[in-house]
Amino acid sequence: MVKVACFFTGGFTESGAMQCFLQKINGNIFLKQFCPNKPPRRRIPDVKAQLVKEVSGLTGPGLIKYIYQYIKNHPEELKEFDAVLIEDDLDGRYTMQKTEGDETTKVSAKTPEFLEQCETIKREIRTRLGKEADFPVIFFWASPEIEAWFLADWANSFGSIYGPAGTNVLDSQENQYFSSRFQPYVRKNVLKEYQNRMENYGYFMGEYKKLSDELILALDSDFKVMLNQEDTNVLSKSISENRKLYYSKQNHGVLMLQNLQPETVRGKCSVYFAEAFAELAAL
């Protein structure tokens, strides 16, 4: 069985469910998570589990530095593995924008700098592990953030997480109504011109906006205000006044990632996700 050493960006969502999600892509491999730590289950509901300080929030150069140091400290342990997988948010790094034409034509793209940076890191990891050039080092980019995956498989994320099958803050009828209104709202007001290319999100008029922040704001405030103003039925009132209806990476991300279907995500995230999907499936 192929053994894969996994290093994920230091977030609650990734620490709690990424390994399980990746296993759905290839059930014939062994995945071991070296970063971040898995927060222990909470015995006391009011006490929040914490990530180890050294890995909490690790991303970008910090995550790569951690991987290099881990290899240095545990060379023999990692030499037993047949591949290394690195999952991280791309989050607007190494992007390129079109500077002419209508603003809606602006895109984020793989640049020569981005590709060279990836290859440099792969070569360095192979060298430090004493591996040959064909040793698999897989970059599993969540572009721009893991929320793009959630939006790609709506039925198993925002479309169901708040209903009886999820956190149960909405009953079945409320959840159905909420999903039917919030999804088009997100497309129009959050994704905008990126509806059909979510992995390229999110430069607007030269300014980068984090997808997660925009979704948090939308559900916590803007969407509810719109619903309260435009609809006068009982369902819209109960939803707009529901203080338990919000989005949090820590409280909802793990549950969403556990439910996602990789095949569905691949259909909507056809660049970074689809590429890494194919590499992992081929091991």
Side-chain angles (χ1 to χ4, degrees), residues 271-282:
V271 183
Y272 302 97
F273 184 91
E275 182 179 283
F277 181 106
E279 291 184 64
L280 185 59

Side-chain angles (χ1 to χ4, degrees), residues 90 93-96 108-111 114-115 118 138-144 149 198-201 269-279:
L90 195 53
R93 286 176 284 149
Y94 304 105
T95 55
M96 177 174 60
S108 302
K110 292 181 179 179
T111 65
F114 167 80
L115 296 173
C118 291
I138 301 172
F139 271 108
F140 215 115
W141 294 107
S143 180
W149 302 359
M198 289 185 292
E199 287 181 297
N200 290 339
Y201 189 94
C269 299
S270 58
V271 183
Y272 302 97
F273 184 91
E275 182 179 283
F277 181 106
E279 291 184 64

